[in-house]
Amino acid sequence: IILVFIFINLKFNIENFQGNPDLKLAKVLLKTSIFNDKKCLSKSELKKKINNFKTFSRFDAVNFKTKLKFIANNSNNINKIKTLISSAVPLPVENIDTDQIIPARFLKATSKKNFGENLFRDWRFNKKNELNLDFVLNNKKYSGEILVAGSNFGCGSSREHAAWALKDYGFKVIISSFFADIFKMNALNNNILPIQVSDETLEIIFSKIYNEPDIKFEIDLPNQKLNFNNSSINFDVDQYKKTCLINGY
């Protein structure tokens, strides 16, 4: 009932501003509404979107533009993965577990924000809390939105915080030759695309990065292809999750 009321209220107010030059923003708002993506959201995320709509469903002429821009700017565009072109960070370590990705002592927070600060905390910093310059994330030579890791990435406990930390740090894609099942699902649920390749392909990718740190990889999610240099690798992804990633749900 609440959802229907919000939708009617929102639709009524937008239709009353048909002559407003910001009608395009109104259309963007409807396209990014909870009614299009609620099936892909967790309960907490859906509740957050509902609260946003409760706050901004009553428009007035003076604040119409400001409120529409607020919601449009806070839409799901940031989570979309359709075509990504980026350099990559190499981490050729096998069996990286979730406690190494985000140590247990940092799991007290319930918000997803700022988890990236403690990603690989015990590897990025030494016991004196000083940067470990030998660790790849502290090496300015390597950067990008793609992490390339050794086999069996994300093993260990089922903590979703590991995916939160990777996402908050800025990684959108992780490439490995094998992922732990629960981590793989957690990654997809948090708009991270795990791409599984063969052991041979993984070694080639590591070699390419070390020889040319600025090499760009293209992730073509609609066609499920990983492209670099003159190579094109097909990868599998759950079709429902693919739709969610492409649309930023």
Side-chain angles (χ1 to χ4, degrees):
I1 295 174
I2 293 175
L3 292 178
V4 172
F5 173 76
I6 293 171
F7 178 73
I8 294 174
N9 193 354
L10 175 65
K11 192 172 186 296
F12 172 79
N13 282 284
I14 288 177
E15 288 175 348
N16 282 335
F17 285 91
Q18 289 294 320
N20 192 291
D22 295 301
L23 182 59
K24 289 184 179 179
L25 277 175
K27 291 180 179 178
V28 170
L29 174 59
L30 285 175
K31 287 181 180 179
T32 59
S33 72
I34 55 176
F35 304 98
N36 289 330
D37 63 12
K38 62 179 181 291
K39 64 182 180 179
C40 294
L41 296 174
S42 65
K43 289 183 179 180
S44 61
E45 290 170 329
L46 179 58
K47 183 177 179 181
K48 183 177 179 181
K49 277 185 173 283
I50 291 175
N51 288 335
N52 282 342
F53 270 76
K54 283 182 180 178
T55 304
F56 294 102
S57 60
R58 294 183 178 180
F59 291 111
D60 57 78
V62 176
N63 295 320
F64 180 74
K65 181 176 180 179
T66 300
K67 291 175 180 178
L68 279 179
K69 281 187 174 180
F70 176 89
I71 297 178
N73 289 336
N74 285 275
S75 68
N76 50 16
N77 290 336
I78 193 171
N79 289 321
K80 290 183 178 180
I81 302 177
K82 188 173 183 180
T83 300
L84 174 67
I85 299 176
S86 173
S87 52
V89 178
L91 186 57
V93 180
E94 295 185 349
N95 304 312
I96 296 177
D97 62 41
T98 52
D99 191 58
Q100 292 167 324
I101 295 172
I102 181 72
R105 63 185 183 277
F106 298 113
L107 305 185
K108 296 180 181 178
T110 56
S111 170
K112 297 181 181 181
K113 294 182 179 179
N114 302 321
F115 267 87
E117 295 177 359
N118 296 307
L119 176 67
F120 298 118
R121 179 74 188 195
D122 293 337
W123 291 353
R124 289 169 60 198
F125 296 87
N126 59 28
K127 293 182 179 180
K128 295 181 180 180
N129 204 33
E130 299 170 334
L131 280 177
N132 174 14
L133 299 180
D134 293 328
F135 186 59
V136 66
L137 292 191
N138 298 327
N139 189 336
K140 295 181 179 180
K141 183 166 59 174
Y142 303 107
S143 63
E145 298 174 294
I146 301 172
L147 176 66
V148 183
S151 180
N152 200 26
F153 186 83
C155 57
S157 73
S158 62
R159 67 188 67 166
E160 189 176 11
H161 307 73
W164 294 1
L166 289 160
K167 177 70 175 180
D168 189 59
Y169 188 83
F171 289 119
K172 293 183 177 181
V173 174
I174 303 174
I175 299 173
S176 180
S177 58
F178 184 79
F179 293 94
D181 289 339
I182 295 178
F183 171 82
K184 186 175 183 179
M185 185 58 63
N186 286 337
L188 287 166
N189 288 339
N190 285 276
N191 302 98
I192 298 175
L193 174 62
I195 295 178
Q196 187 166 326
V197 298
S198 67
D199 291 326
E200 294 76 15
T201 298
L202 187 64
E203 289 303 318
I204 291 173
I205 292 174
F206 278 131
S207 178
K208 294 289 186 183
I209 296 173
Y210 287 130
N211 290 331
E212 186 183 347
D214 294 328
I215 185 174
K216 295 295 189 292
F217 295 86
E218 178 186 22
I219 311 300
D220 180 358
L221 182 52
N223 295 306
Q224 296 178 214
K225 290 185 179 294
L226 165 63
N227 304 314
F228 59 96
N229 286 359
N230 296 318
S231 301
S232 184
I233 309 298
N234 295 319
F235 61 85
D236 294 326
V237 61
D238 178 271
Q239 293 304 298
Y240 171 72
K241 292 300 182 182
K242 174 181 175 179
T243 299
C244 289
L245 287 168
I246 290 175
N247 291 281
Y249 296 155

